[in-house]
Amino acid sequence: TQLLEQSPQFLSIQEGENLTVYCNSSSVFSSLQWYRQEPGEGPVLLVTVVTGGEVKKLKRLTFQFGDARKDSSLHITAAQPGDTGLYLCAGVLNYQLIWGAGTKLIIKP
Amino acid sequence: NAGVTQTPKFQVLKTGQSMTLQCAQDMNHEYMSWYRQDPGMGLRLIHYSVGAGITDQGEVPNGYNVSRSTTEDFPLRLLSAAPSQTSVYFCASSQPPAYTGDQETQYFGPGTRLLVL
């Protein structure tokens, strides 16, 4: 059983559309990280959220940490083909990183 | 800085063969980790090290050995390869405290794709 559930597993949308990726758990995390991974490369950190209810923005990407620190979301506004990739969330629990299975995102031009 | 480097990029083994996956970092990071990534399962921690001479097991350590004789290098050894070890392997490094949520980042290598026949 995955401790950190990501949804959807796969998403293919047209350029310009908005989307949201979710990361859910029954565990309380001390912080949560979002990574993006492109084919043939390792994951690259996008953001870390620490405080319950925290919202961070990275250009067209908005990250939110749930009030109870059990869940997080990534919202992309006006998606572009360059946003294509595998998005991974990872929660910090007892000094260990717990990884979600990832959301594969394809943005079609 | 080259960051985290991994060799080889791709390897094919026969069942029962042994090999070492190399990982090196030039950022003077204390923490280093090995993960495997399989479709639909995310990243799973194999072994990690919090400093030279110190290693510990992760979630899926069976069939793998590690050592950390220097800060820079953290090789992963497959003792007797099995088809279940077919995967993409990533090495990562970070500075302590790696997991306190204060913007500390894990830096990943480009991965080694391993196929065991």
Side-chain angles (χ1 to χ4, degrees):
Chain A
T1 303
Q2 200 87 21
L3 274 179
L4 198 52
E5 298 284 345
Q6 268 190 259
S7 61
Q9 287 186 306
F10 179 78
L11 187 59
S12 179
I13 62 172
Q14 292 293 137
E15 180 178 4
E17 293 184 7
N18 301 332
L19 67 107
T20 302
V21 175
Y22 299 93
C23 196
N24 294 300
S25 177
S26 57
S27 301
V28 177
F29 296 109
S30 54
S31 65
L32 191 136
Q33 299 179 339
W34 284 93
Y35 289 78
R36 185 168 83 190
Q37 183 180 15
E38 300 193 17
E41 298 182 9
V44 176
L45 181 70
L46 295 174
V47 77
T48 301
V49 285
V50 180
T51 308
E54 183 177 4
V55 176
K56 282 191 173 179
K57 292 193 174 184
L58 193 65
K59 297 183 181 177
R60 293 175 293 99
L61 278 61
T62 300
F63 304 85
Q64 185 162 7
F65 203 12
D67 290 341
R69 291 185 285 127
K70 294 181 178 181
D71 54 83
S72 182
S73 64
L74 157 61
H75 182 79
I76 301 180
T77 304
Q80 297 178 1
D83 295 328
T84 292
L86 179 68
Y87 289 80
L88 295 158
C89 62
V92 178
L93 181 64
N94 298 327
Y95 303 105
Q96 296 287 328
L97 269 180
I98 307 299
W99 292 86
T103 294
K104 187 171 184 179
L105 177 63
I106 295 176
I107 310 299
K108 295 176 283 188
Chain B
N1 281 355
V4 180
T5 57
Q6 290 184 241
T7 56
K9 291 190 176 181
F10 182 74
Q11 183 72 45
V12 179
L13 290 178
K14 294 182 179 178
T15 297
Q17 287 185 316
S18 63
M19 78 161 294
T20 299
L21 279 64
Q22 301 292 344
C23 174
Q25 53 94 7
D26 61 0
M27 297 174 283
N28 203 33
H29 285 173
E30 291 292 324
Y31 285 23
M32 295 187 75
S33 306
W34 274 103
Y35 293 90
R36 58 178 290 172
Q37 186 175 38
D38 302 291
M41 301 189 72
L43 288 163
R44 291 185 291 170
L45 183 64
I46 303 171
H47 286 284
Y48 66 98
S49 169
V50 299
I54 307 169
T55 64
D56 207 345
Q57 296 181 349
E59 179 186 356
V60 288
N62 293 341
Y64 308 95
N65 274 358
V66 292
S67 59
R68 184 98 180 268
S69 56
T70 67
T71 299
E72 294 78 19
D73 300 298
F74 191 41
L76 177 72
R77 280 180 285 276
L78 280 69
L79 308 173
S80 178
S84 61
Q85 293 178 304
T86 292
S87 187
V88 182
Y89 291 85
F90 288 99
C91 178
S93 75
S94 63
Q95 274 291 36
Y99 303 129
T100 61
D102 62 349
Q103 306 293 332
E104 288 295 333
T105 302
Q106 283 212 63
Y107 295 86
F108 285 84
T112 293
R113 187 175 296 271
L114 177 67
L115 175 63
V116 183
L117 302 174

